[in-house]
Tab-separated table of all heavy atoms in Angstrom:
chain	number	residue	atom	x	y	z
A	47	LEU	N	12.098	52.318	-43.539
A	47	LEU	CA	11.892	51.248	-44.551
A	47	LEU	C	11.889	49.867	-43.912
A	47	LEU	O	11.118	49.007	-44.118
A	47	LEU	CB	12.968	51.310	-45.649
A	47	LEU	CG	12.867	52.609	-46.578
A	47	LEU	CD1	14.111	52.655	-47.499
A	47	LEU	CD2	11.605	52.379	-47.489
A	48	GLN	N	13.003	49.797	-42.900
A	48	GLN	CA	13.110	48.491	-42.213
A	48	GLN	C	11.922	48.202	-41.343
A	48	GLN	O	11.345	47.109	-41.237
A	48	GLN	CB	14.387	48.570	-41.380
A	48	GLN	CG	15.602	48.529	-42.166
A	48	GLN	CD	16.874	48.635	-41.305
A	48	GLN	OE1	16.789	48.684	-40.039
A	48	GLN	NE2	17.991	48.608	-41.957
A	49	LEU	N	11.316	49.223	-40.628
A	49	LEU	CA	10.203	49.071	-39.825
A	49	LEU	C	9.054	48.587	-40.601
A	49	LEU	O	8.286	47.780	-40.158
A	49	LEU	CB	9.945	50.415	-38.995
A	49	LEU	CG	8.851	50.330	-37.912
A	49	LEU	CD1	9.273	49.306	-36.975
A	49	LEU	CD2	8.761	51.690	-37.367
A	50	ASP	N	8.839	49.318	-41.714
A	50	ASP	CA	7.667	48.940	-42.575
A	50	ASP	C	7.771	47.397	-42.934
A	50	ASP	O	6.802	46.698	-42.963
A	50	ASP	CB	7.653	49.835	-43.911
A	50	ASP	CG	7.157	51.177	-43.483
A	50	ASP	OD1	6.509	51.372	-42.364
A	50	ASP	OD2	7.442	52.171	-44.312
A	51	GLY	N	8.972	47.003	-43.308
A	51	GLY	CA	9.155	45.664	-43.717
A	51	GLY	C	8.894	44.612	-42.565
A	51	GLY	O	8.198	43.635	-42.715
A	52	VAL	N	9.362	45.039	-41.358
A	52	VAL	CA	9.150	44.154	-40.164
A	52	VAL	C	7.636	44.102	-39.778
A	52	VAL	O	7.139	43.032	-39.594
A	52	VAL	CB	9.886	44.716	-38.962
A	52	VAL	CG1	9.511	44.001	-37.712
A	52	VAL	CG2	11.382	44.614	-39.195
A	53	LEU	N	6.981	45.222	-39.811
A	53	LEU	CA	5.535	45.255	-39.567
A	53	LEU	C	4.679	44.395	-40.554
A	53	LEU	O	3.961	43.655	-40.080
A	53	LEU	CB	4.979	46.680	-39.515
A	53	LEU	CG	5.425	47.560	-38.276
A	53	LEU	CD1	5.044	49.018	-38.482
A	53	LEU	CD2	4.841	46.933	-36.969
A	54	GLY	N	5.107	44.562	-41.769
A	54	GLY	CA	4.460	43.740	-42.734
A	54	GLY	C	4.674	42.229	-42.503
A	54	GLY	O	3.710	41.452	-42.604
A	55	ALA	N	5.938	41.821	-42.203
A	55	ALA	CA	6.184	40.476	-41.968
A	55	ALA	C	5.599	39.907	-40.800
A	55	ALA	O	5.100	38.830	-40.680
A	55	ALA	CB	7.737	40.382	-41.961
A	56	THR	N	5.496	40.730	-39.735
A	56	THR	CA	4.843	40.387	-38.447
A	56	THR	C	3.405	40.009	-38.594
A	56	THR	O	2.904	39.086	-38.056
A	56	THR	CB	5.112	41.466	-37.355
A	56	THR	OG1	6.447	41.685	-37.199
A	56	THR	CG2	4.493	41.073	-36.108
A	57	HIS	N	2.686	40.830	-39.445
A	57	HIS	CA	1.290	40.554	-39.626
A	57	HIS	C	1.114	39.196	-40.348
A	57	HIS	O	0.186	38.430	-39.952
A	57	HIS	CB	0.721	41.709	-40.605
A	57	HIS	CG	-0.714	41.511	-40.960
A	57	HIS	ND1	-1.776	41.612	-39.950
A	57	HIS	CD2	-1.437	41.043	-41.986
A	57	HIS	CE1	-2.942	41.420	-40.489
A	57	HIS	NE2	-2.780	41.032	-41.795
A	58	VAL	N	1.928	38.931	-41.256
A	58	VAL	CA	1.897	37.538	-41.964
A	58	VAL	C	2.135	36.467	-40.935
A	58	VAL	O	1.481	35.478	-40.922
A	58	VAL	CB	2.822	37.536	-43.163
A	58	VAL	CG1	2.885	36.110	-43.728
A	58	VAL	CG2	2.378	38.495	-44.220
A	59	GLU	N	3.161	36.733	-40.120
A	59	GLU	CA	3.550	35.659	-39.144
A	59	GLU	C	2.514	35.526	-38.089
A	59	GLU	O	2.197	34.416	-37.644
A	59	GLU	CB	4.882	36.131	-38.483
A	59	GLU	CG	6.029	36.077	-39.270
A	59	GLU	CD	7.349	36.595	-38.659
A	59	GLU	OE1	7.263	37.001	-37.504
A	59	GLU	OE2	8.361	36.607	-39.340
A	60	ILE	N	1.924	36.627	-37.699
A	60	ILE	CA	0.786	36.453	-36.686
A	60	ILE	C	-0.275	35.531	-37.272
A	60	ILE	O	-0.798	34.675	-36.539
A	60	ILE	CB	0.206	37.886	-36.406
A	60	ILE	CG1	1.222	38.636	-35.539
A	60	ILE	CG2	-1.052	37.815	-35.493
A	60	ILE	CD1	0.863	40.120	-35.333
A	61	GLU	N	-0.722	35.821	-38.448
A	61	GLU	CA	-1.790	34.974	-39.109
A	61	GLU	C	-1.392	33.496	-39.070
A	61	GLU	O	-2.103	32.565	-38.866
A	61	GLU	CB	-2.167	35.427	-40.472
A	61	GLU	CG	-2.798	36.800	-40.525
A	61	GLU	CD	-4.192	36.778	-39.780
A	61	GLU	OE1	-4.865	35.722	-39.782
A	61	GLU	OE2	-4.479	37.763	-39.043
A	62	HIS	N	-0.057	33.322	-39.426
A	62	HIS	CA	0.453	31.959	-39.481
A	62	HIS	C	0.494	31.287	-38.114
A	62	HIS	O	0.020	30.145	-37.948
A	62	HIS	CB	1.853	31.924	-40.031
A	62	HIS	CG	2.621	30.632	-39.886
A	62	HIS	ND1	2.255	29.542	-40.677
A	62	HIS	CD2	3.665	30.284	-38.996
A	62	HIS	CE1	3.081	28.519	-40.288
A	62	HIS	NE2	3.873	28.919	-39.327
A	63	HIS	N	0.844	32.009	-37.030
A	63	HIS	CA	0.868	31.421	-35.712
A	63	HIS	C	-0.571	31.190	-35.244
A	63	HIS	O	-0.828	30.124	-34.539
A	63	HIS	CB	1.468	32.475	-34.763
A	63	HIS	CG	3.053	32.521	-34.884
A	63	HIS	ND1	3.763	31.406	-34.860
A	63	HIS	CD2	3.840	33.569	-34.994
A	63	HIS	CE1	5.055	31.769	-35.014
A	63	HIS	NE2	5.124	33.131	-35.161
A	64	LEU	N	-1.506	32.030	-35.593
A	64	LEU	CA	-2.911	31.831	-35.204
A	64	LEU	C	-3.512	30.632	-35.844
A	64	LEU	O	-4.112	29.779	-35.188
A	64	LEU	CB	-3.741	33.032	-35.475
A	64	LEU	CG	-3.563	34.254	-34.629
A	64	LEU	CD1	-4.300	35.412	-35.193
A	64	LEU	CD2	-3.894	34.066	-33.146
A	65	GLU	N	-3.127	30.456	-37.127
A	65	GLU	CA	-3.642	29.298	-37.910
A	65	GLU	C	-3.000	27.929	-37.300
A	65	GLU	O	-3.720	26.979	-37.075
A	65	GLU	CB	-3.443	29.395	-39.261
A	65	GLU	CG	-3.834	28.234	-40.159
A	65	GLU	CD	-5.404	28.088	-40.123
A	65	GLU	OE1	-6.079	29.024	-39.765
A	65	GLU	OE2	-5.809	26.935	-40.577
A	66	MET	N	-1.775	27.964	-37.055
A	66	MET	CA	-1.003	26.802	-36.558
A	66	MET	C	-1.533	26.540	-35.125
A	66	MET	O	-1.733	25.317	-34.730
A	66	MET	CB	0.471	27.060	-36.473
A	66	MET	CG	1.172	26.972	-37.916
A	66	MET	SD	0.837	25.458	-38.671
A	66	MET	CE	1.793	24.314	-37.596
A	67	GLY	N	-1.734	27.485	-34.279
A	67	GLY	CA	-2.258	27.336	-33.039
A	67	GLY	C	-3.660	26.706	-32.982
A	67	GLY	O	-3.944	25.715	-32.243
A	68	ARG	N	-4.521	27.132	-33.921
A	68	ARG	CA	-5.900	26.594	-33.995
A	68	ARG	C	-5.805	25.072	-34.404
A	68	ARG	O	-6.504	24.170	-33.806
A	68	ARG	CB	-6.599	27.275	-35.076
A	68	ARG	CG	-8.092	26.821	-35.132
A	68	ARG	CD	-8.828	27.499	-36.461
A	68	ARG	NE	-8.133	27.142	-37.737
A	68	ARG	CZ	-8.360	26.024	-38.359
A	68	ARG	NH1	-9.177	25.096	-37.748
A	68	ARG	NH2	-7.845	25.654	-39.489
A	69	LYS	N	-4.958	24.662	-35.457
A	69	LYS	CA	-4.835	23.359	-35.856
A	69	LYS	C	-4.229	22.428	-34.724
A	69	LYS	O	-4.697	21.315	-34.518
A	69	LYS	CB	-3.961	23.289	-37.034
A	69	LYS	CG	-4.501	23.893	-38.361
A	69	LYS	CD	-3.615	23.725	-39.427
A	69	LYS	CE	-4.194	24.306	-40.811
A	69	LYS	NZ	-3.364	24.209	-41.984
Side-chain angles (χ1 to χ4, degrees):
L47 290 172
Q48 291 176 359
L49 187 58
D50 287 341
V52 169
L53 288 173
T56 302
H57 180 72
V58 173
E59 288 175 2
I60 289 170
E61 291 300 323
H62 170 72
H63 286 308
L64 288 172
E65 179 62 18
M66 288 299 298
R68 184 188 66 78
K69 289 181 178 179

